[in-house]
Amino acid sequence: MNELDIRTPSEAALTDRRNFIRFLAASPVLTPTAMSALVSALAAGVSGEAAAQSYDVLRAPQQKAVDGIITAPEQALNVFDFEPAAKKALPPAHYGYLASGVDGDATLRLNHEAFDEIAIRVRRLIDVRKVDTSVTLFGQTYPTPILLAPVSSQGAFHPEAEAAVARAAKVTGNGVILSTVGSTSIEDVTEARGAPVWYMLYPTDDWSVTEALVKRAEAAGAPAIVLTVDRQGGRNTETLFRFRRDDTRDCKGCHAGGFANEVSRKPMFDDLDVSKVTNLYGTGMTWDFVDRLRKIVKGKLVLKGIVTREDTEIALKHGVDAIIVSNHGGRAEESLEPTIRALPEVVAAANGQIPILIDGGFRRGTDVLKALALGASAVCVGRPYCWGLAAFGEPGVAAVLAILQREFVTIMKQVGATKLSEITKDSVIVRS
């Protein structure tokens, strides 16, 4: 250690380990299984070898929070620790946008609270020193089943926006889904991620714009177009409106009204004629629109927002390649139906024909295991990584992903599962 290096040995080791894993993550010869082991190691803060459990609290960092709010990502004990830090870092209206559900936010709350209705069955005397968390979707293998859900306008949370998120995801191998109205182009996000990302499509009500967005995404290598179908009825984002009251800034410069102004800072609309567009969400969409989209999408077509058996059965008839069970993170409708509760009927209706993913309320590794046990192929996480982004930028996102992966690996070991296929309906008990 030279005289300018004032890090403690533990801090230096942590930095060196992270840099080493970043180096390996960029390697074209690293296998998915090896990357999975590295993800688990980073999350646990140990080497890739199995390590003995430790309960020595003196080994934990003693950095102090300020007024109960963490001041560095490594202080976080769980992903919830990032939300107060994000709130402190953001203007009131921007935090309100991130925090808001619809109406009284009941569906938003139930998305997470419903996980408490599901107990986990633990198993004993199984060698779980080596755990493989890799999953394959559309021929692409990821070292973790935790994907990053599309979240719009991430420039409202941090100047580096989706690029910072993608760089963090590159280290841990998480799949990324980019929103149509993201603050960063799909080309830049793909470059930052170092691999193709999925593209979530807000179709607009102008087919020529829809077609141009799809062509651009596929030209950038997007293997899947994810059509959002859960924003057709409008919404009442009371929490956002309430926080906006406390925001003393003049927001008209960015939110002056009109579609052209709304997307003027959204790079996916650069050089597009949006003069005929009146609505981002395509409120007149029917299954005929899905058929029309199916004809132009060269890769996989995913529907995001399906929550019932009936719509799943119809989706299969229209050639959909996957479904994401979603209520837009509790931001679509005040249905009081959490996505984890809707998941089993969608899985049953799909009957193994297509992958079923899910988002909404995922805050713990145990939540991830419960969804996989109920038939999900993978899960998508939204707000937690945005809390990390808002609070600390790329390091905050990386910390959130590491915590979720660490927790997931821990609960996998406790149920005796060494790979995802060993997580089954027998791993959980759904309380009525």
Side-chain angles (χ1 to χ4, degrees), residues 14-169:
L14 180 60
T15 300
D16 292 343
R17 180 170 58 248
R18 286 173 174 166
N19 290 337
F20 178 62
I21 292 177
R22 284 190 174 94
F23 168 77
L24 290 179
S27 170
V29 299
L30 189 65
T31 67
T33 300
M35 188 63 219
S36 177
L38 283 169
V39 170
S40 301
L42 176 61
V46 296
S47 70
E49 299 297 321
Q53 298 182 57
S54 173
Y55 301 95
D56 183 359
V57 297
L58 296 180
R59 294 180 61 185
Q62 288 186 290
Q63 295 167 301
K64 294 183 179 179
V66 177
D67 296 326
I69 300 175
I70 60 173
T71 58
E74 58 267 26
Q75 291 177 278
L77 300 178
N78 54 47
V79 302
F80 296 100
D81 284 341
F82 289 92
E83 185 175 13
K87 183 178 181 180
K88 181 178 180 180
L90 292 175
H94 288 192
Y95 173 74
Y97 170 73
L98 179 57
S100 188
V102 294
D103 294 351
D105 293 349
T107 305
L108 185 158
R109 291 191 298 271
L110 285 169
N111 269 349
H112 179 65
E113 292 173 359
F115 286 104
D116 291 341
E117 301 171 0
I118 305 169
I120 294 174
R121 300 181 70 241
V122 298
R123 300 293 304 278
R124 312 300 188 196
L125 298 173
I126 299 172
D127 186 350
V128 289
R129 287 174 294 177
K130 294 183 179 180
V131 171
D132 178 8
T133 64
S134 63
V135 63
T136 300
L137 298 168
F138 301 149
Q140 175 68 44
T141 299
Y142 303 92
T144 172
I146 303 170
L147 278 64
L148 304 191
V151 178
S152 303
S153 306
Q154 292 180 27
F157 311 138
H158 190 274
E160 296 181 5
E162 292 86 356
V165 171
R167 289 195 301 268

Side-chain angles (χ1 to χ4, degrees), residues 12 65 85 115 200 206 222 242 330 349 411:
F115 286 104
M200 186 276 284
D206 183 339
R242 192 166 291 112
I411 193 61

Side-chain angles (χ1 to χ4, degrees), residues 388-418:
L389 176 67
F392 305 109
E394 179 186 344
V397 178
V400 165
L401 299 179
I403 289 170
L404 289 172
Q405 180 71 7
R406 180 190 68 211
E407 292 180 346
F408 177 56
V409 169
T410 297
I411 193 61
M412 275 188 67
K413 292 179 177 181
Q414 290 165 344
V415 301
T418 61

